[in-house]
Coordinates of all heavy atoms in Angstrom, one line a residue:
L271 N 14.1 26.7 11.9 CA 13.8 27.5 13.1 C 15.1 27.6 13.9 O 15.3 28.7 14.5 CB 12.7 26.8 13.9 CG 12.3 27.6 15.2 CD1 11.6 28.9 14.8 CD2 11.3 26.7 15.9
H272 N 15.9 26.6 13.9 CA 17.1 26.7 14.7 C 18.0 27.8 14.1 O 18.7 28.5 14.9 CB 17.9 25.4 14.7 CG 17.2 24.3 15.5 ND1 16.6 23.3 14.9 CD2 17.0 24.2 16.8 CE1 16.0 22.5 15.8 NE2 16.3 23.0 17.0
V273 N 18.1 27.9 12.8 CA 18.9 28.9 12.2 C 18.4 30.3 12.6 O 19.3 31.2 12.8 CB 18.9 28.8 10.7 CG1 19.7 29.9 10.0 CG2 19.5 27.4 10.3
L274 N 17.1 30.5 12.6 CA 16.6 31.9 13.0 C 17.0 32.2 14.4 O 17.1 33.4 14.8 CB 15.1 31.9 12.9 CG 14.6 31.7 11.4 CD1 13.1 31.7 11.4 CD2 15.1 32.9 10.5
L275 N 17.2 31.2 15.3 CA 17.5 31.4 16.7 C 19.1 31.5 16.9 O 19.5 31.5 18.0 CB 16.9 30.4 17.6 CG 15.4 30.4 17.6 CD1 14.9 29.2 18.4 CD2 14.9 31.7 18.1
G276 N 19.8 31.4 15.8 CA 21.3 31.5 15.9 C 22.0 30.2 16.0 O 23.2 30.2 16.2
A277 N 21.3 29.0 15.9 CA 22.0 27.8 16.1 C 22.5 27.3 14.7 O 22.2 27.8 13.6 CB 21.0 26.7 16.6
S278 N 23.3 26.3 14.7 CA 23.9 25.7 13.5 C 22.8 24.9 12.7 O 22.1 24.2 13.3 CB 25.1 24.8 13.8 OG 25.5 24.1 12.7
P279 N 22.8 25.1 11.4 CA 21.8 24.3 10.6 C 22.2 22.9 10.3 O 21.5 22.1 9.7 CB 21.7 25.1 9.3 CG 23.0 25.7 9.2 CD 23.5 26.0 10.6
M280 N 23.4 22.4 10.8 CA 23.9 21.1 10.5 C 22.9 20.0 10.9 O 22.7 19.0 10.2 CB 25.3 20.9 11.0 CG 26.3 21.6 10.2 SD 26.2 21.2 8.4 CE 26.8 19.5 8.4
S281 N 22.4 20.0 12.1 CA 21.5 19.0 12.6 C 20.2 18.9 11.7 O 19.8 17.8 11.4 CB 21.2 19.1 14.0 OG 20.5 20.3 14.3
D282 N 19.7 20.0 11.3 CA 18.5 20.0 10.5 C 18.8 19.5 9.1 O 18.1 18.7 8.6 CB 18.0 21.5 10.3 CG 17.4 22.0 11.6 OD1 17.0 21.2 12.5 OD2 17.4 23.3 11.8
L283 N 20.0 19.9 8.5 CA 20.4 19.4 7.2 C 20.7 17.9 7.3 O 20.3 17.1 6.3 CB 21.6 20.1 6.7 CG 21.3 21.6 6.4 CD1 22.6 22.3 6.0 CD2 20.3 21.8 5.3
M284 N 21.3 17.4 8.4 CA 21.5 15.9 8.5 C 20.2 15.2 8.6 O 20.1 14.1 8.0 CB 22.4 15.7 9.7 CG 23.8 16.1 9.6 SD 24.7 15.3 8.3 CE 24.9 13.7 9.1
G285 N 19.2 15.7 9.3 CA 17.9 15.1 9.3 C 17.2 15.0 8.0 O 16.6 14.0 7.6
I286 N 17.3 16.1 7.2 CA 16.7 16.1 5.9 C 17.4 15.1 5.0 O 16.8 14.4 4.3 CB 16.8 17.5 5.3 CG1 15.9 18.5 6.1 CG2 16.5 17.5 3.8 CD1 16.0 19.9 5.7
A287 N 18.7 15.0 5.1 CA 19.5 14.1 4.3 C 19.1 12.6 4.7 O 19.0 11.8 3.8 CB 21.0 14.3 4.4
A288 N 19.0 12.4 6.0 CA 18.7 11.0 6.4 C 17.3 10.6 6.0 O 17.1 9.5 5.5 CB 18.8 11.0 7.9
G289 N 16.4 11.6 6.0 CA 15.0 11.3 5.5 C 14.9 11.0 4.1 O 14.3 10.1 3.6
H290 N 15.7 11.7 3.3 CA 15.7 11.5 1.8 C 16.4 10.2 1.5 O 15.9 9.4 0.6 CB 16.4 12.6 1.1 CG 15.6 13.8 0.9 ND1 15.3 14.8 1.9 CD2 14.9 14.3 -0.2 CE1 14.5 15.7 1.4 NE2 14.3 15.4 0.1
L291 N 17.5 9.8 2.2 CA 18.2 8.6 2.0 C 17.2 7.4 2.3 O 17.2 6.4 1.6 CB 19.4 8.5 2.8 CG 20.2 7.2 2.7 CD1 20.7 7.0 1.2 CD2 21.4 7.2 3.7
Y292 N 16.5 7.5 3.5 CA 15.6 6.4 3.9 C 14.5 6.2 2.8 O 14.2 5.1 2.4 CB 15.0 6.8 5.2 CG 13.9 5.8 5.7 CD1 14.3 4.6 6.2 CD2 12.6 6.1 5.6 CE1 13.4 3.7 6.6 CE2 11.6 5.2 6.0 CZ 12.0 4.0 6.5 OH 11.1 3.1 6.9
Y293 N 13.9 7.3 2.4 CA 12.9 7.2 1.3 C 13.4 6.6 0.0 O 12.8 5.7 -0.6 CB 12.3 8.6 1.0 CG 11.2 8.6 0.0 CD1 10.0 8.1 0.2 CD2 11.5 9.0 -1.3 CE1 9.0 8.1 -0.7 CE2 10.5 8.9 -2.3 CZ 9.3 8.5 -2.0 OH 8.3 8.4 -3.0
F294 N 14.6 7.0 -0.4 CA 15.2 6.5 -1.6 C 15.5 5.0 -1.4 O 15.1 4.2 -2.3 CB 16.5 7.2 -1.9 CG 17.3 6.6 -3.0 CD1 16.9 6.9 -4.3 CD2 18.3 5.7 -2.9 CE1 17.5 6.4 -5.4 CE2 19.0 5.2 -4.0 CZ 18.6 5.5 -5.2
L295 N 16.0 4.5 -0.3 CA 16.3 3.1 -0.1 C 15.0 2.3 0.1 O 15.0 1.1 -0.2 CB 17.2 2.9 1.1 CG 18.6 3.5 1.0 CD1 19.4 3.4 2.3 CD2 19.4 2.8 -0.2
L296 N 14.0 2.9 0.6 CA 12.8 2.1 0.9 C 11.8 2.1 -0.3 O 11.2 1.0 -0.6 CB 12.0 2.7 2.1 CG 10.8 1.9 2.6 CD1 11.3 0.6 3.2 CD2 10.1 2.8 3.6
E297 N 11.7 3.2 -1.0 CA 10.7 3.3 -2.1 C 11.3 3.3 -3.5 O 10.8 2.5 -4.4 CB 9.9 4.6 -1.9 CG 9.1 4.6 -0.6 CD 7.9 3.6 -0.6 OE1 7.4 3.3 -1.7 OE2 7.5 3.2 0.5
I298 N 12.3 4.1 -3.8 CA 12.7 4.3 -5.1 C 13.6 3.2 -5.6 O 13.4 2.6 -6.7 CB 13.5 5.7 -5.2 CG1 12.7 6.8 -4.7 CG2 14.0 5.9 -6.6 CD1 11.4 7.1 -5.5
L299 N 14.6 2.8 -4.9 CA 15.6 1.8 -5.3 C 14.9 0.4 -5.6 O 15.2 -0.2 -6.6 CB 16.7 1.6 -4.3 CG 17.9 0.9 -4.7 CD1 18.6 1.5 -5.9 CD2 18.9 0.7 -3.6
P300 N 14.0 -0.1 -4.7 CA 13.4 -1.3 -5.0 C 12.5 -1.3 -6.2 O 12.4 -2.2 -7.0 CB 12.5 -1.6 -3.8 CG 13.2 -0.9 -2.7 CD 13.7 0.3 -3.3
T301 N 11.8 -0.1 -6.5 CA 10.9 0.0 -7.6 C 11.7 0.1 -8.9 O 11.3 -0.5 -9.9 CB 10.1 1.3 -7.5 OG1 9.4 1.2 -6.2 CG2 9.1 1.4 -8.6
T302 N 12.8 0.8 -9.0 CA 13.5 1.0 -10.2 C 14.5 -0.1 -10.5 O 14.7 -0.5 -11.7 CB 14.3 2.4 -10.2 OG1 15.2 2.4 -9.1 CG2 13.3 3.5 -10.1
N303 N 15.2 -0.6 -9.5 CA 16.3 -1.6 -9.7 C 16.0 -3.0 -9.2 O 16.8 -3.9 -9.3 CB 17.6 -1.1 -9.2 CG 18.1 0.2 -9.9 OD1 17.7 0.4 -11.0 ND2 18.9 0.9 -9.2
G304 N 14.9 -3.1 -8.4 CA 14.6 -4.4 -7.8 C 15.5 -4.8 -6.6 O 15.6 -5.9 -6.2
I305 N 16.2 -3.8 -6.1 CA 17.1 -4.1 -4.9 C 16.4 -3.6 -3.7 O 16.1 -2.4 -3.5 CB 18.5 -3.3 -5.1 CG1 19.1 -3.7 -6.4 CG2 19.4 -3.5 -3.9 CD1 20.3 -2.8 -6.8
D306 N 16.2 -4.6 -2.7 CA 15.6 -4.2 -1.5 C 16.6 -4.2 -0.4 O 16.9 -5.2 0.2 CB 14.5 -5.3 -1.2 CG 13.5 -4.9 -0.1 OD1 13.6 -3.7 0.3 OD2 12.7 -5.7 0.3
V307 N 17.1 -3.0 -0.1 CA 18.2 -2.9 0.9 C 17.6 -2.9 2.3 O 18.2 -3.5 3.2 CB 18.9 -1.5 0.7 CG1 20.0 -1.3 1.7 CG2 19.5 -1.5 -0.7
L308 N 16.5 -2.3 2.5 CA 15.9 -2.1 3.9 C 14.8 -3.1 4.1 O 13.6 -2.8 4.4 CB 15.4 -0.7 4.1 CG 16.4 0.4 4.1 CD1 15.7 1.7 4.3 CD2 17.5 0.2 5.1
K309 N 15.1 -4.4 4.0 CA 14.1 -5.4 4.2 C 14.0 -5.8 5.7 O 15.0 -5.9 6.4 CB 14.4 -6.7 3.4 CG 13.4 -7.7 3.5 CD 13.7 -8.8 2.5 CE 12.6 -9.9 2.7 NZ 12.0 -10.3 1.6
T310 N 12.8 -5.9 6.2 CA 12.6 -6.2 7.6 C 13.0 -7.7 7.9 O 12.6 -8.6 7.1 CB 11.1 -6.1 8.0 OG1 10.6 -4.8 7.7 CG2 10.8 -6.4 9.5
P311 N 13.8 -7.9 8.9 CA 14.2 -9.3 9.2 C 13.0 -10.2 9.5 O 12.0 -9.8 10.0 CB 15.1 -9.1 10.5 CG 15.5 -7.7 10.5 CD 14.4 -7.0 9.8
Q312 N 13.2 -11.5 9.0 CA 12.1 -12.4 9.1 C 11.6 -12.7 10.5 O 10.4 -12.8 10.8 CB 12.5 -13.8 8.5 CG 11.4 -14.8 8.4 CD 10.3 -14.3 7.4 OE1 10.5 -13.6 6.4 NE2 9.0 -14.6 7.8
F313 N 12.5 -12.7 11.5 CA 12.0 -12.9 12.9 C 11.1 -11.8 13.4 O 10.3 -12.0 14.2 CB 13.2 -13.2 13.8 CG 14.0 -12.0 14.2 CD1 13.7 -11.3 15.4 CD2 15.1 -11.5 13.4 CE1 14.4 -10.2 15.7 CE2 15.8 -10.4 13.8 CZ 15.5 -9.8 15.0
I314 N 11.4 -10.6 12.9 CA 10.5 -9.5 13.3 C 9.2 -9.5 12.6 O 8.1 -9.3 13.2 CB 11.2 -8.1 13.1 CG1 12.4 -8.0 14.0 CG2 10.2 -7.0 13.3 CD1 13.2 -6.8 13.8
S315 N 9.2 -9.9 11.3 CA 8.0 -10.0 10.5 C 7.1 -11.1 11.1 O 5.9 -11.0 11.2 CB 8.3 -10.3 9.1 OG 9.0 -9.3 8.5
G316 N 7.7 -12.2 11.6 CA 7.0 -13.3 12.2 C 6.2 -12.9 13.4 O 5.2 -13.5 13.8
L317 N 6.7 -11.9 14.2 CA 6.1 -11.5 15.4 C 4.8 -10.8 15.1 O 3.8 -10.8 15.9 CB 7.0 -10.5 16.2 CG 8.3 -11.1 16.8 CD1 9.1 -10.0 17.3 CD2 7.9 -12.2 17.8
F318 N 4.7 -10.1 13.9 CA 3.5 -9.3 13.6 C 2.6 -9.8 12.5 O 1.5 -9.3 12.3 CB 4.0 -7.9 13.2 CG 4.7 -7.2 14.3 CD1 6.1 -7.2 14.3 CD2 4.1 -6.6 15.4 CE1 6.8 -6.6 15.3 CE2 4.7 -6.0 16.4 CZ 6.1 -6.0 16.4
D319 N 3.0 -10.9 11.8 CA 2.2 -11.4 10.7 C 0.8 -11.8 11.1 O -0.2 -11.6 10.4 CB 2.8 -12.6 10.1 CG 3.9 -12.2 9.1 OD1 3.9 -11.0 8.7 OD2 4.7 -13.0 8.7
A320 N 0.6 -12.4 12.3 CA -0.7 -12.8 12.8 C -1.7 -11.6 13.0 O -2.9 -11.8 13.0 CB -0.6 -13.6 14.0
H321 N -1.1 -10.5 13.3 CA -1.9 -9.3 13.6 C -2.0 -8.3 12.5 O -2.4 -7.2 12.7 CB -1.3 -8.6 14.9 CG -1.2 -9.5 16.0 ND1 -2.2 -10.0 16.7 CD2 -0.1 -10.1 16.6 CE1 -1.8 -10.8 17.7 NE2 -0.5 -10.9 17.6
M322 N -1.6 -8.7 11.3 CA -1.5 -7.7 10.2 C -2.7 -7.7 9.3 O -2.6 -7.6 8.1 CB -0.3 -7.9 9.4 CG 1.0 -7.7 10.2 SD 1.2 -6.0 10.8 CE 1.4 -5.1 9.4
T323 N -3.9 -7.8 9.9 CA -5.1 -7.7 9.1 C -6.0 -6.6 9.7 O -5.9 -6.3 10.9 CB -5.9 -9.0 9.0 OG1 -6.2 -9.4 10.4 CG2 -5.1 -10.1 8.3
T324 N -6.9 -6.1 9.0 CA -7.8 -5.1 9.5 C -9.2 -5.5 9.0 O -9.4 -6.1 7.9 CB -7.5 -3.7 9.0 OG1 -8.3 -2.8 9.7 CG2 -7.6 -3.5 7.5
T325 N -10.2 -5.2 9.8 CA -11.6 -5.6 9.4 C -12.3 -4.3 9.0 O -12.2 -3.3 9.7 CB -12.3 -6.2 10.6 OG1 -11.6 -7.4 11.0 CG2 -13.7 -6.6 10.2
A326 N -13.0 -4.4 7.9 CA -13.8 -3.2 7.4 C -15.2 -3.7 7.0 O -15.4 -4.9 6.9 CB -13.1 -2.6 6.2
Y327 N -16.1 -2.8 6.9 CA -17.5 -3.1 6.5 C -17.8 -2.4 5.2 O -17.5 -1.2 5.0 CB -18.4 -2.7 7.6 CG -18.2 -3.5 8.9 CD1 -17.3 -3.1 9.8 CD2 -18.8 -4.8 9.0 CE1 -17.1 -3.8 11.0 CE2 -18.6 -5.5 10.2 CZ -17.7 -5.1 11.1 OH -17.5 -5.8 12.3
T328 N -18.4 -3.1 4.3 CA -18.8 -2.5 3.0 C -20.1 -1.7 3.2 O -20.7 -1.7 4.3 CB -19.1 -3.6 2.0 OG1 -20.1 -4.5 2.4 CG2 -17.8 -4.4 1.8
Q329 N -20.6 -1.0 2.2 CA -21.8 -0.2 2.3 C -23.0 -1.1 2.6 O -23.9 -0.7 3.3 CB -22.0 0.5 1.0 CG -21.3 1.8 0.9 CD -21.7 2.6 -0.3 OE1 -22.0 2.0 -1.4 NE2 -21.8 3.9 -0.2
S330 N -23.0 -2.3 2.1 CA -24.1 -3.2 2.4 C -24.1 -3.8 3.8 O -25.0 -4.5 4.2 CB -24.2 -4.3 1.4 OG -23.0 -5.1 1.5
G331 N -23.0 -3.5 4.5 CA -22.9 -4.0 5.9 C -22.1 -5.3 6.0 O -21.9 -5.9 7.1
A332 N -21.6 -5.9 4.9 CA -20.9 -7.1 4.9 C -19.5 -6.9 5.4 O -18.9 -5.8 5.2 CB -20.8 -7.7 3.5
Q333 N -19.0 -7.8 6.2 CA -17.7 -7.7 6.8 C -16.6 -8.2 5.8 O -16.8 -9.2 5.2 CB -17.6 -8.5 8.1 CG -16.3 -8.4 8.8 CD -16.4 -9.1 10.2 OE1 -17.4 -9.4 10.7 NE2 -15.2 -9.3 10.7
A334 N -15.5 -7.5 5.7 CA -14.4 -7.8 4.8 C -13.1 -7.7 5.6 O -12.9 -6.8 6.4 CB -14.4 -7.0 3.6
T335 N -12.2 -8.6 5.4 CA -10.9 -8.6 6.1 C -9.8 -8.3 5.0 O -9.8 -9.0 4.0 CB -10.6 -9.9 6.8 OG1 -11.7 -10.1 7.8 CG2 -9.3 -9.8 7.6
Y336 N -9.0 -7.4 5.3 CA -7.9 -7.0 4.3 C -6.6 -7.1 5.0 O -6.5 -6.8 6.2 CB -8.1 -5.6 3.8 CG -9.4 -5.3 3.1 CD1 -10.5 -4.8 3.7 CD2 -9.5 -5.6 1.8 CE1 -11.6 -4.6 3.1 CE2 -10.7 -5.4 1.1 CZ -11.7 -4.9 1.7 OH -12.9 -4.7 1.1
P337 N -5.5 -7.4 4.3 CA -4.2 -7.2 4.9 C -3.9 -5.8 5.2 O -4.3 -4.9 4.5 CB -3.2 -7.7 3.8 CG -4.0 -8.4 2.8 CD -5.4 -7.9 3.0
R338 N -3.4 -5.5 6.4 CA -3.1 -4.1 6.8 C -2.2 -3.4 5.8 O -1.3 -3.9 5.3 CB -2.5 -4.0 8.1 CG -2.4 -2.6 8.6 CD -2.2 -2.5 10.1 NE -3.4 -2.9 10.7 CZ -3.5 -3.2 12.0 NH1 -2.4 -3.1 12.8 NH2 -4.6 -3.6 12.5
G339 N -2.6 -2.2 5.4 CA -1.9 -1.4 4.4 C -2.3 -1.7 3.0 O -1.9 -1.1 2.1
R340 N -3.2 -2.6 2.8 CA -3.7 -3.0 1.5 C -5.2 -2.9 1.4 O -5.8 -3.5 0.6 CB -3.3 -4.4 1.1 CG -1.8 -4.7 1.3 CD -1.1 -4.3 0.0 NE 0.3 -4.7 0.1 CZ 1.3 -3.9 -0.1 NH1 1.1 -2.7 -0.3 NH2 2.5 -4.4 0.0
H341 N -5.8 -2.0 2.1 CA -7.2 -1.8 2.2 C -7.8 -1.3 0.9 O -7.2 -0.3 0.3 CB -7.6 -0.9 3.3 CG -9.1 -0.8 3.5 ND1 -9.9 -1.8 4.0 CD2 -9.9 0.2 3.2 CE1 -11.1 -1.4 4.1 NE2 -11.2 -0.2 3.5
D342 N -8.9 -1.8 0.4 CA -9.5 -1.3 -0.8 C -10.4 -0.2 -0.4 O -11.5 -0.4 0.1 CB -10.3 -2.4 -1.5 CG -11.0 -2.0 -2.7 OD1 -10.6 -0.9 -3.3 OD2 -11.9 -2.7 -3.2
W343 N -10.0 1.1 -0.6 CA -10.8 2.2 -0.1 C -12.0 2.5 -1.0 O -12.7 3.4 -0.7 CB -9.9 3.4 0.1 CG -8.9 3.2 1.2 CD1 -7.6 2.9 1.0 CD2 -9.1 3.3 2.6 NE1 -7.0 2.8 2.2 CE2 -7.9 3.0 3.2 CE3 -10.2 3.5 3.3 CZ2 -7.8 3.0 4.6 CZ3 -10.1 3.5 4.7 CH2 -8.9 3.3 5.3
G344 N -12.1 1.9 -2.1 CA -13.2 2.2 -3.0 C -12.9 3.4 -3.9 O -11.9 4.0 -3.9
S345 N -13.9 3.8 -4.7 CA -13.7 4.9 -5.6 C -13.9 6.2 -5.0 O -13.3 7.2 -5.4 CB -14.7 4.7 -6.8 OG -16.0 4.8 -6.3
G346 N -14.7 6.3 -3.9 CA -14.8 7.6 -3.2 C -15.6 8.6 -4.1 O -16.3 8.2 -5.0
R347 N -15.5 9.8 -3.7 CA -16.2 10.9 -4.5 C -15.2 11.9 -5.0 O -14.3 12.3 -4.2 CB -17.3 11.6 -3.6 CG -18.4 10.6 -3.2 CD -19.4 11.4 -2.3 NE -20.4 10.5 -1.9 CZ -21.3 10.7 -1.0 NH1 -21.2 11.8 -0.3 NH2 -22.2 9.8 -0.7
T348 N -15.4 12.4 -6.2 CA -14.5 13.4 -6.7 C -14.9 14.8 -6.1 O -16.0 15.0 -5.8 CB -14.5 13.4 -8.2 OG1 -15.9 13.7 -8.6 CG2 -14.0 12.1 -8.8
L349 N -13.9 15.6 -6.0 CA -14.1 17.0 -5.6 C -15.0 17.7 -6.6 O -14.7 17.6 -7.8 CB -12.8 17.7 -5.3 CG -12.0 17.2 -4.1 CD1 -10.7 18.0 -4.1 CD2 -12.8 17.4 -2.8
G350 N -16.0 18.4 -6.1 CA -16.8 19.2 -7.0 C -17.9 18.4 -7.7 O -18.7 18.9 -8.5
G351 N -17.9 17.1 -7.4 CA -18.9 16.2 -8.1 C -20.2 16.3 -7.4 O -20.4 17.0 -6.3
T352 N -21.2 15.7 -7.9 CA -22.6 15.7 -7.3 C -22.6 14.7 -6.2 O -21.9 13.7 -6.2 CB -23.6 15.4 -8.4 OG1 -23.4 14.1 -8.9 CG2 -23.6 16.4 -9.5
Q353 N -23.5 15.0 -5.3 CA -23.6 14.1 -4.1 C -24.4 12.9 -4.5 O -25.2 12.3 -4.5 CB -24.2 14.8 -3.0 CG -23.3 16.0 -2.6 CD -22.8 15.9 -1.2 OE1 -23.0 15.0 -0.5 NE2 -22.0 16.9 -0.8

């Protein structure tokens, strides 16, 4: 949008490059080479570990606690499937 308004595209391109680099260092590099460059410092992780669970309820109404980000969402329903 900035280019259409006559501004320099450099800031947009730098943002795109930074986003790609972040994704590569966070997701791709640890998966392929086992190198974890962007690891959260332990003192910061310790501040949030006690609060990193979420509570969910199963279809039968039973309560289940999962680590945040690791929720078992179930099988769900496929698109175009029967109800």
Side-chain angles (χ1 to χ4, degrees):
L271 183 63
H272 292 109
V273 175
L274 295 176
L275 297 174
S278 172
M280 282 309 287
S281 63
D282 293 335
L283 294 174
M284 291 295 288
I286 292 170
H290 279 80
L291 179 64
Y292 176 77
Y293 179 77
F294 177 78
L295 293 175
L296 187 68
E297 298 289 333
I298 305 298
L299 193 61
T301 304
T302 58
N303 296 335
I305 301 170
D306 194 9
V307 178
L308 296 178
K309 187 171 174 127
T310 305
Q312 187 62 37
F313 75 93
I314 293 177
S315 295
L317 293 173
F318 298 99
D319 279 344
H321 305 288
M322 294 303 288
T323 59
T324 186
T325 303
Y327 295 90
T328 62
Q329 276 188 322
S330 63
Q333 183 175 343
T335 303
Y336 300 97
R338 186 161 291 167
R340 306 276 189 235
H341 183 76
D342 180 16
W343 292 103
S345 61
R347 296 183 180 162
T348 58
L349 292 174
T352 60
Q353 301 238 2

